[in-house]
Amino acid sequence: MNGLAGLKRIDTVELSQDTLTIIHLIRKELSEQFEELGVYVSDRRWQKAAQLLKASAFFNNRKVTNHSDTLLLRYCLWTTEANREEVERIVNTAIEESGFSPEVSLAELDRKKDELDKEINVEVFYQNDVYETHNIKGKDYYKAKITFRYKTGYYNDYKETTRTFYIPVSKMKSREAFKPLDSNGNELTGYTCTFDGQGSCDVKITGLEGRYDSEAHFTPKILCSKGQKKQNVNSRLIDALKNEVKELKQTLRITLELCEAKQSEYMANLYSPFVSEQSCNIALNGINQQISDLKLRIKDCDRLKGLCSA
């Protein structure tokens, strides 16, 4: 085979999608670190690098490049001894993080799973504590029925009095002092209330029997706690969410099966005389991690299904 014929045959080798993904990751990282590393790779140089990858695949009797070919980029992108090790690290990281380029977008599947997770939790579980409240003139209030205990002027003589009043729900997140209301919505001037930032309220009352003061503590009654399952869940919506989770899980399973099948085929053609076995294992680490991550995503779908049935 003469040189010209050989070059023509090398040109028939295709750059795989996995290879293009790795090149994209490397170019992106080199661009972001240009000021620090000073490494500029021209389009012409990238073309020569691509030709090198094709040649590697060709002499390994492959018609398509793979991860082992891209390991050669470690030797043709650095410009000085000062940046050689960092460029090699960038190439290794890109190869290890790329895995396979699946037919579906894993980022899109993750986005879909996160949306389902959020929607299921919103529909099935209380996102915040739900308190017992009362409406007065269009606004919500906590009803406080508190027994104040106060010491009179006599020796060890204590008295008690029970008062009922209403505390604005809007004040719960504030630490500012305020006045409660009576059942008609009128402000009670003899009281001073302050929430402690933890959901409870300190109440001070002045002028008991005309001259005595007292303090008490009030915590609004929780009807339903955050994370508790709702009682009246829309069953049709939950069934629809279950089906979406089922479809997502099926897509992930198909993707996993394709990656595992590709892994078996890939391992048979991964190792190359042009790079060490240890270097080739860098690519395998990324592929194995991708498969492991897919299995975790599938397992997480089972968790989402369980939430729908909680």
Side-chain angles (χ1 to χ4, degrees):
M1 180 174 64
N2 61 45
L4 183 59
L7 288 174
K8 287 183 177 179
R9 292 181 65 181
I10 288 174
D11 284 337
T12 63
V13 175
E14 295 182 12
L15 294 176
S16 68
Q17 185 58 50
D18 298 325
T19 298
L20 294 174
T21 298
I22 291 169
I23 290 175
H24 170 75
L25 292 173
I26 294 171
R27 296 188 71 164
K28 181 175 180 292
E29 191 66 21
L30 288 177
S31 176
E32 291 178 353
Q33 295 194 41
F34 176 74
E35 291 187 5
E36 179 182 351
L37 298 178
V39 176
Y40 170 72
V41 183
S42 65
D43 289 342
R44 182 180 179 184
R45 194 172 174 194
W46 275 115
Q47 289 172 0
K48 289 184 177 181
Q51 195 70 11
L52 175 64
L53 304 189
K54 289 184 177 183
S56 173
F58 176 77
F59 288 111
N60 279 286
N61 297 314
R62 285 185 275 105
K63 295 181 180 180
V64 180
T65 59
N66 67 22
H67 293 63
S68 68
D69 303 316
T70 60
L71 286 162
L72 297 174
L73 293 173
R74 297 182 298 181
Y75 309 116
C76 56
L77 298 181
W78 59 274
T79 56
T80 67
E81 279 295 326
N83 59 44
R84 180 179 62 81
E85 289 188 3
E86 183 60 21
V87 170
E88 182 174 337
R89 184 197 66 78
I90 289 172
V91 172
N92 289 345
T93 300
I95 294 170
E96 190 168 9
E97 291 183 350
S98 66
F100 290 132
S101 298
E103 296 180 3
V104 296
S105 169
L106 292 181
E108 180 62 23
L109 292 180
D110 284 341
R111 184 192 63 79
K112 178 64 176 176
K113 183 168 68 65
D114 289 343
E115 288 180 353
L116 282 171
D117 196 343
K118 182 178 180 180
E119 188 172 1
I120 288 169
N121 273 283
V122 168
E123 293 298 330
V124 179
F125 303 98
Y126 289 105
Q127 301 303 293
N128 297 289
D129 292 334
V130 178
Y131 295 91
E132 181 180 56
T133 60
H134 298 262
N135 190 279
I136 300 176
K137 297 182 178 179
K139 295 183 179 181
D140 290 329
Y141 293 83
Y142 303 118
K143 183 179 180 180
K145 187 176 182 180
I146 301 178
T147 297
F148 293 92
R149 189 168 185 265
Y150 59 99
K151 185 177 181 180
T152 66
Y154 300 100
Y155 180 72
N156 286 336
D157 184 21
Y158 288 88
K159 290 187 177 182
E160 293 182 349
T161 181
T162 300
R163 303 291 179 89
T164 301
F165 49 90
Y166 295 83
I167 295 175
V169 172
S170 61
K171 298 294 185 180
M172 191 175 195
K173 302 298 182 181
S174 172
R175 289 179 178 268
E176 295 181 358
F178 60 92
K179 304 295 183 183
L181 307 181
D182 63 18
S183 59
N184 295 317
N186 300 312
E187 191 175 86
L188 298 172
T189 57
Y191 297 78
T192 301
C193 301
T194 309
F195 273 101
D196 61 4
Q198 302 298 319
S200 295
C201 187
D202 294 320
V203 183
K204 296 180 181 179
I205 185 171
T206 59
L208 292 173
E209 295 188 11
R211 53 178 174 167
Y212 301 114
D213 300 339
S214 182
E215 296 184 10
H217 197 65
F218 167 72
T219 301
K221 181 180 179 181
I222 296 178
L223 298 178
C224 303
S225 300
K226 179 181 179 180
Q228 183 178 334
K229 185 181 179 183
K230 296 178 181 179
Q231 297 299 316
N232 299 315
V233 178
N234 187 326
S235 58
R236 288 187 178 182
L237 177 58
I238 294 303
D239 287 341
L241 290 171
K242 282 183 181 178
N243 287 331
E244 289 189 57
V245 171
K246 182 179 179 180
E247 291 173 4
L248 175 62
K249 182 178 179 180
Q250 181 62 18
T251 301
L252 287 168
R253 280 192 176 281
I254 292 172
T255 303
L256 174 62
E257 290 171 1
L258 290 173
C259 283
E260 288 178 329
K262 193 173 181 180
Q263 180 192 39
S264 299
E265 177 186 354
Y266 181 74
M267 288 182 66
N269 298 289
L270 174 64
Y271 297 101
S272 163
F274 304 121
V275 292
S276 67
E277 181 176 337
Q278 183 179 4
S279 294
C280 287
N281 287 336
I282 293 174
L284 280 179
N285 290 339
I287 293 165
N288 291 336
Q289 185 61 52
Q290 183 180 35
I291 289 174
S292 177
D293 289 345
L294 280 168
K295 290 179 179 179
L296 287 176
R297 289 178 173 95
I298 292 171
K299 187 175 181 180
D300 202 37
C301 286
D302 292 332
R303 177 184 66 84
L304 295 181
K305 182 180 177 182
L307 290 179
C308 291
S309 305

